[in-house]
Amino acid sequence: MASTNASPTCAHCGKGAERACTGCKDAPAIDGDVKPIHYCTPACQKEDWQYHKKLCKRLQTRKLLYRAGSVLQEMFYMYREKLFDKYIERIEKRDGRLVLYEGQYKTLVTAQTDCLIPFPDNLCQTPEEKLSVLAHLSCDDASAWLHDILKYILVGIAADICETRCVTKNKKLDIIAVNADDSVQDTDFGHEFLIIKLVHGGEQYAMDLSSAQHGHFEPVVPWKKYFESRVLKLLQRPQFNHFGGVRERLTAETGRTSVVQILLGLNVESSKALLHSTKNWEKECNMPIISLLKLPFPESKRKEKLLVESIGDTLGRFHDRLRKGAEKHKEEVEKALAAGGDGQTKPKQNKS
């Protein structure tokens, strides 16, 4: 039987060819629209560029978006683990659902880091289960706290970024959270994600970094496919209907009179470290993010892992400084009280 795999031919002259166009090679296919382009010589590739240029740039941009989505999603999971704020005592699978049983939270919070709770790795049975728990009810966190780093990474890739809210459908996973008093938490919230329009062709994609809470793990999906398969209806968001709106809304709610306000403040400061440490990593490794995204796939994933680990270490050190500062402030208050003062001392501001 003859082989059905025809040898590649040169896109310019039709001769046998082995040289693939590295620009659009490995670009994700949408409905089979990507066919590998080969050339027999550099001369043929140069001659054909006037015809291939438009398609190649469109596919390159698509590939960069998918790579950027992977980096951003890994950053999001790391960020959520570093700033995890749910006290989960046990996890059960029941009737196709994931049930999270939460314990009793601290009644007294005197420092920002008092809000943070170690993630319960031992309660998760699979890596996917862990990602789902990390992403649970955190779609606003993805839009708000990754806003600056997302905008930075998507320079030259996205022509427009739109924050969007919807009612979802076709979930592969439902998560239910049960409070310490056995009451079930309300999950009737709209789901936040991004619609991204690309340069070089204007293709539109949904970027959903927190979709693991619904059992979906792809950060980037063509917008038409996402809308048809996951969106029951789009929701209005008139008070913050612009890119950066969620961040502005949550930042405005920060304060020191409640645990929620204190945690929001910690997120505001911690999110700055994402962009700051990314720029530091670029300098130390002499590798701009756009160069990382253009690397061959195995190497780009390796660099992605190193980048996320580096940012995680920076966040960890920042939180350690906050804890030490809070402990020092507590000691100063106790000394002031012991000396007959009123205990009113001002804690020093920590910088990320």
Side-chain angles (χ1 to χ4, degrees):
M1 180 180 293
S3 172
T4 57
N5 295 322
S7 298
T9 57
C10 179
H12 182 64
C13 70
K15 295 180 180 178
E18 299 294 335
R19 178 189 299 269
C21 175
T22 56
C24 56
K25 181 182 178 183
D26 298 327
I30 299 177
D31 298 327
D33 67 343
V34 176
K35 295 180 180 179
I37 301 297
H38 291 80
Y39 297 99
C40 59
T41 64
C44 272
Q45 185 170 7
K46 184 177 180 180
E47 286 294 323
D48 194 58
W49 180 240
Q50 59 181 316
Y51 307 108
H52 180 54
K53 179 179 179 179
K54 185 176 181 180
L55 172 63
C56 189
K57 285 187 174 294
R58 178 166 63 86
L59 295 179
Q60 284 183 49
T61 308
R62 181 193 298 177
K63 180 168 66 172
L64 290 174
L65 177 70
Y66 275 76
R67 297 275 182 88
S70 176
V71 172
L72 289 163
Q73 189 176 59
E74 291 303 315
M75 284 187 183
F76 169 69
Y77 291 143
M78 175 275 299
Y79 184 87
R80 284 291 301 136
E81 186 165 5
K82 292 292 184 182
L83 283 99
F84 199 69
D85 59 340
K86 298 179 175 66
Y87 179 39
I88 300 175
E89 291 188 324
R90 73 180 195 274
I91 299 175
E92 292 182 359
K93 282 188 176 180
R94 184 194 306 165
D95 301 326
R97 295 175 173 177
L98 210 58
V99 185
L100 313 180
Y101 291 91
E102 297 190 12
Q104 192 68 45
Y105 287 82
K106 288 183 179 180
T107 56
L108 178 63
V109 173
T110 59
Q112 287 180 315
T113 49
D114 287 345
C115 303
L116 302 182
I117 299 171
F119 184 82
D121 280 284
N122 60 307
L123 299 181
C124 298
Q125 297 182 14
T126 65
E128 291 76 18
E129 192 171 291
K130 175 179 179 177
L131 300 181
S132 297
V133 175
L134 284 171
H136 179 53
L137 297 182
S138 62
C139 56
D140 280 356
D141 295 294
S143 287
W145 313 131
L146 270 72
H147 173 269
D148 290 345
I149 187 61
L150 186 144
K151 184 170 63 173
Y152 180 73
I153 288 179
L154 292 184
V155 168
I157 298 174
D160 184 61
I161 305 172
C162 178
E163 293 178 358
T164 310
R165 192 172 291 266
C166 75
V167 176
T168 60
K169 66 179 181 181
N170 297 329
K171 296 179 183 179
K172 293 182 178 180
L173 176 69
D174 276 318
I175 299 180
I176 298 174
V178 180
N179 296 314
D181 62 1
D182 292 330
S183 61
V184 177
Q185 294 180 16
D186 181 18
T187 57
D188 188 20
F189 303 105
H191 181 66
E192 186 81 14
F193 64 99
L194 301 173
I195 299 177
I196 297 176
K197 182 179 179 180
L198 301 187
V199 300
H200 302 306
E203 294 180 345
Q204 287 188 304
Y205 295 84
M207 179 176 285
D208 192 345
L209 302 180
S210 66
S211 61
Q213 63 184 307
H214 301 146
H216 300 287
F217 299 94
E218 315 92 337
V220 177
V221 180
W223 168 233
K224 181 180 179 182
K225 178 181 178 181
Y226 186 96
F227 180 77
E228 292 175 349
S229 62
R230 301 193 198 177
V231 177
L232 182 63
K233 66 175 180 179
L234 295 174
L235 298 175
Q236 297 293 321
R237 47 201 307 278
Q239 296 178 344
F240 49 99
N241 190 26
H242 60 278
F243 180 49
V246 176
R247 181 181 177 86
E248 292 173 11
R249 174 173 61 84
L250 294 183
T251 300
E253 296 174 6
T254 61
R256 300 197 65 83
T257 58
S258 72
V259 173
V260 172
Q261 289 179 333
I262 293 172
L263 184 61
L264 287 174
L266 178 59
N267 273 284
V268 170
E269 296 303 316
S270 298
S271 65
K272 295 176 183 177
L274 291 176
L275 181 56
H276 178 72
S277 54
T278 296
K279 290 182 177 180
N280 282 344
W281 184 88
E282 288 180 309
K283 292 178 181 178
E284 292 171 1
C285 297
N286 193 27
M287 176 171 286
I289 293 299
I290 191 67
S291 298
L292 182 157
L293 302 179
K294 291 180 178 180
L295 289 172
F297 181 72
E299 181 65 9
S300 69
K301 291 298 292 183
R302 188 180 73 83
K303 291 290 187 181
E304 172 189 295
K305 184 174 184 293
L306 294 175
L307 169 63
V308 174
E309 288 176 349
S310 175
I311 298 172
D313 289 342
T314 300
L315 270 177
R317 290 192 297 270
F318 172 53
H319 293 160
D320 286 341
R321 291 198 301 272
L322 288 179
R323 290 186 184 96
K324 291 178 182 178
E327 291 170 0
K328 183 177 180 181
H329 176 61
K330 183 180 179 181
E331 291 174 359
E332 291 173 351
V333 171
E334 291 174 347
K335 288 180 181 179
L337 289 172
D342 60 4
Q344 296 298 314
T345 65
K346 292 184 178 180
K348 294 181 180 180
Q349 294 295 319
N350 284 275
K351 295 181 180 180
S352 60

